[in-house]
Amino acid sequence: MKRLFLAMAILLLPILVACTPQTTPPTAPPQAEVIVRQSGGAGALIAECGDKNYVARVSDYIIEGRVEKVEAMWNQDKSQILTYTNLSIEKYVKGAPFPQKKLKIVTAGGTVGEISQWVEDQPIFHEGKRVRIYFEKLDGEFAIVCAQFGVEDLDSPSAAEKPRT
């Protein structure tokens, strides 16, 4: 009976280890471009998003930087407009620094020619502005925490009053 139990334990051990969730802190991605994607509606669904302490706590990264370029384009099948924002990283408030000092932020919506597409809760970036962005790594991808509530304009007069983490 002891041998049977021992044999079963040895056979089940690898299965148990494989099924145990592994939690490791997010690490910086390799040299590839860091792309942060944003989907609409997230900020409206979570009441806690109005609380900067909550946003900071759930963020894996908090960075400050300057918006270098904002460009809206149609997706491949011309069914959606996406805005691509290039950000130069100036400071890491939280999270391991990336090998490169740039982020590309992709948000739904924007204007191409005379056609505009607006998506609820999307952050809007302006070239030359300094911003603080709160984002997390989920399933191998980066996303802004709480949509528009995860982006702060550091150039606005009220930015000096906002808590820093």
Side-chain angles (χ1 to χ4, degrees):
M1 186 64 141
K2 250 185 184 177
R3 286 184 187 175
L4 180 61
F5 179 74
L6 183 59
M8 298 254 319
I10 291 172
L11 290 173
L12 290 176
L13 184 61
I15 294 170
L16 289 173
V17 169
C19 292
T20 304
Q22 304 295 317
T23 56
T24 56
T27 57
Q31 291 287 358
E33 182 176 46
V34 178
I35 299 175
V36 178
R37 299 191 187 279
Q38 178 57 42
S39 61
L45 298 177
I46 304 172
E48 291 87 355
C49 286
D51 177 4
K52 278 297 173 198
N53 291 324
Y54 168 82
V55 175
R57 188 173 60 253
V58 301
S59 297
D60 296 318
Y61 297 89
I62 303 172
I63 59 101
E64 293 178 0
R66 186 168 303 279
V67 176
E68 292 183 335
K69 183 178 180 184
V70 179
E71 183 176 19
M73 294 183 271
W74 286 103
N75 65 354
Q76 236 177 357
D77 64 0
K78 290 196 171 197
S79 62
Q80 181 181 19
I81 296 175
L82 299 172
T83 297
Y84 298 86
T85 302
N86 294 337
L87 184 98
S88 176
I89 300 170
E90 296 174 347
K91 178 181 176 182
Y92 285 86
V93 178
K94 182 179 181 182
F98 301 130
Q100 61 279 34
K101 295 209 169 244
K102 306 246 182 229
L103 286 181
K104 180 172 291 227
I105 302 165
V106 182
T107 52
T111 301
V112 175
E114 294 182 13
I115 299 175
S116 294
Q117 181 180 35
W118 299 105
V119 179
E120 183 179 25
D121 291 333
Q122 291 297 295
I124 297 173
F125 297 95
H126 301 280
E127 288 182 13
K129 290 284 190 175
R130 290 187 60 247
V131 293
R132 180 179 302 127
I133 302 176
Y134 299 77
F135 60 101
E136 60 189 336
K137 189 171 186 179
L138 298 169
D139 300 326
E141 293 191 7
F142 296 96
I144 297 173
V145 173
C146 291
Q148 68 192 21
F149 298 105
V151 177
E152 295 176 16
D153 179 354
L154 296 178
D155 290 336
S156 71
S158 63
E161 303 166 10
K162 295 182 181 178
R164 291 185 178 233
T165 304

